[in-house]
Amino acid sequence: AGPAPADGAAAAPPVSVPETISGLQALGAARRRIGPVVRAAEREVLTLDSGVTWELLGQVPEVHTDFLRITYQPGGSSSSGAGLLMRHSGTEYGHVLSGELVLTLGFDEHHLRAGDSVSFDSTTPHSYRNDGAEPAVGIWFVLEQ
């Protein structure tokens, strides 16, 4: 990746990360009811090669919200192998339970620690990564629009 053009435009536009989006869709494929009680041992789990695990905590038909427990292993990242940011329709809400995450949101970086929360329009290019030595765990809601 070379330097950004002199006019300040980004060198490459952010792209949607198909593995991430299709992974969320796979967890909630038919929008069937999951719950009202979901036992820890019975969660649907998706583990990505990028060091990220999503656990589906519940789902209600006709309500397009992904309710997830996310875990980023040390070095884990939601960006593509090329470091590209993702974007998708909807609104994202997250709360870090333990560990630390770095959120890249547009051109800004935010360091999230246990107890911190985020909310933003998911069409804004974004990614998460764990630069720490311990797993980062959080609860996320992704409201699709």
Side-chain angles (χ1 to χ4, degrees):
D7 65 1
V15 297
S16 178
V17 179
E19 177 186 47
T20 302
I21 302 307
S22 64
L24 282 173
Q25 292 168 344
L27 276 178
R31 287 287 168 199
R32 66 194 185 286
R33 172 170 283 287
I34 297 175
V37 175
V38 178
R39 305 284 179 213
E42 298 170 354
R43 290 183 192 143
E44 293 184 29
V45 177
L46 179 64
T47 302
L48 304 177
D49 291 341
S50 60
V52 180
T53 301
W54 291 321
E55 298 173 64
L56 190 57
L57 298 177
Q59 183 171 286
V60 177
E62 306 305 322
V63 178
H64 296 281
T65 300
D66 295 306
F67 177 30
L68 305 164
R69 180 179 193 265
I70 56 110
T71 303
Y72 283 75
Q73 295 300 325
S77 173
S78 65
S79 65
S80 71
L84 298 175
L85 304 178
M86 68 177 143
R87 60 181 166 195
H88 49 90
S89 65
T91 306
E92 197 156 320
Y93 302 89
H95 178 76
V96 180
L97 297 171
S98 63
E100 297 183 12
L101 282 173
V102 177
L103 165 63
T104 300
L105 185 60
F107 293 105
D108 299 319
E109 278 197 354
H110 304 275
H111 294 263
L112 308 173
R113 294 172 182 78
D116 292 345
S117 300
V118 297
S119 56
F120 58 90
D121 182 330
S122 300
T123 61
T124 304
H126 61 281
S127 70
Y128 299 95
R129 72 176 187 274
N130 180 354
D131 291 341
E134 67 179 78
V137 179
I139 302 297
W140 251 245
F141 290 90
V142 180
L143 176 61
E144 300 171 24
Q145 296 171 335

